[in-house]
Amino acid sequence: MARKHVPNWNGAFVGRDGCAGILARMDNKSGFELRDAEYQRRVRESFERQGLMKHLGAELVSLDPGGAVIRVPFRVELTQQHGYFHAGVTGAIADSACGYAAYTLMAAEDSVLTVEYKINLLAPADGEELVARARVVRSGKTLKVCMADVFVKKGAAESHCATVLATIMCMAGKSDRTR
């Protein structure tokens, strides 16, 4: 059976399972100006240096100009007292997805830092996997406003469990590396 794809929030295509990621495109249809043609490599290297994402077992599934998808599989260590994914896990992957969506639009010599975010928890995150799909809503020179929707997958079903609105700062000329 051939894979079916549906348009996502910015016109790219994702698998019906929602986790296939954004397929590569030959052009930048997001409308955002790319300041670094090597953004994919730079963003993925940065993600690999995040201790918390490693600890959670999170994976950077896909990147697109102004977009990022992160998922994390269920583990008992990531739950709250009812056995649902803890809201801290939900917030962490949504925050990182927003930050990396913004980072795709920054120059190679810049780095990224979250200024603030607000999370609305819409339903219990009861399932086998959390998926955060983030996109840049407004890309200013210093501040980028981003939004992430977080979904929990249980079997073939996917439920929208949280929405995040974040403000991300471009730290111009500041390296993403600590050493």
Side-chain angles (χ1 to χ4, degrees):
M1 174 188 256
R3 277 188 77 115
K4 295 189 178 198
H5 292 85
V6 295
N8 74 351
W9 39 260
N10 71 356
F13 289 87
V14 296
R16 287 217 185 268
D17 63 2
C19 290
I22 301 169
L23 297 177
R25 293 180 301 195
M26 297 302 290
D27 56 5
N28 175 12
K29 293 182 182 176
S30 68
F32 293 116
E33 175 189 349
L34 284 178
R35 300 190 63 215
D36 176 15
E38 297 293 317
Y39 77 89
Q40 288 261 352
R41 177 195 51 76
R42 177 176 46 85
V43 172
R44 289 185 184 285
E45 286 175 359
S46 176
F47 184 83
E48 290 302 315
R49 291 192 301 275
Q50 278 211 2
L52 180 60
M53 292 297 109
K54 280 183 187 168
H55 179 71
L56 296 176
E59 174 189 2
L60 179 59
V61 177
S62 64
L63 291 169
D64 199 41
V69 178
I70 294 176
R71 69 176 167 195
V72 64
F74 179 86
R75 290 193 343 254
V76 163
E77 298 85 0
L78 304 180
T79 64
Q80 45 83 290
Q81 70 277 13
H82 298 291
Y84 307 137
F85 277 100
H86 194 284
V89 176
T90 304
I93 67 168
D95 172 41
S96 284
C98 285
Y100 284 121
Y103 199 34
T104 66
L105 303 178
M106 296 181 193
E109 65 275 5
D110 298 341
S111 62
V112 63
L113 192 63
T114 300
V115 175
E116 61 83 31
Y117 75 85
K118 180 205 185 310
I119 186 168
N120 283 3
L121 301 168
L122 307 173
D126 182 19
E128 296 101 31
E129 181 176 74
L130 275 180
V131 180
R133 297 183 187 113
R135 65 184 172 94
V136 174
V137 176
R138 167 80 166 66
S139 182
K141 181 178 177 183
T142 303
L143 297 178
K144 283 136 181 23
V145 176
C146 302
M147 183 177 178
D149 289 316
V150 183
F151 298 86
V152 63
K153 293 184 70 175
K154 190 171 193 174
E158 185 177 82
S159 299
H160 189 188
C161 63
T163 294
V164 167
L165 185 63
T167 305
I168 309 296
M169 180 172 64
C170 172
M171 297 171 50
K174 181 164 174 55
S175 173
D176 179 66
R177 298 175 184 269
T178 57
R179 301 193 201 297

